[in-house]
């Protein structure tokens, strides 16, 4: 699967590495902005009873 994605990226090897880094950074920020806050609201550790 990763080889197929690698072949679909345009450019030479350094350009492919740069595009891969940009894509991974975008996925990271998307997860931090959308997915993790949503999951955090569902976790039971927010219900503190002391």
């Amino acid at each position: 699967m990763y080889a197929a994605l690698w072949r679909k990226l345009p450019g030479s090897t350094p350009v492919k590495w740069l595009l891969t880094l940009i894509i991974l950074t975008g996925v990271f920020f998307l997860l931090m902005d959308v997915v993790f806050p949503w999951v955090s609201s569902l976790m039971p550790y927010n219900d503190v009873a002391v």
Side-chain angles (χ1 to χ4, degrees), residues 1-3 6 13 21 27 34 38 46 50:
M1 178 178 159
Y2 295 114
W6 185 258
T13 302
L21 184 64
V27 168
V34 176
W38 173 72
N46 287 336
V50 177

Side-chain angles (χ1 to χ4, degrees), residues 13-41:
T13 302
V15 174
K16 288 181 181 186
W17 278 110
L18 181 64
L19 287 173
T20 302
L21 184 64
I22 291 170
I23 291 169
L24 287 176
T25 304
V27 168
F28 171 77
F29 282 116
L30 180 69
L31 286 172
M32 293 304 268
D33 194 38
V34 176
V35 176
F36 294 148
W38 173 72
V39 171
S40 177
S41 67

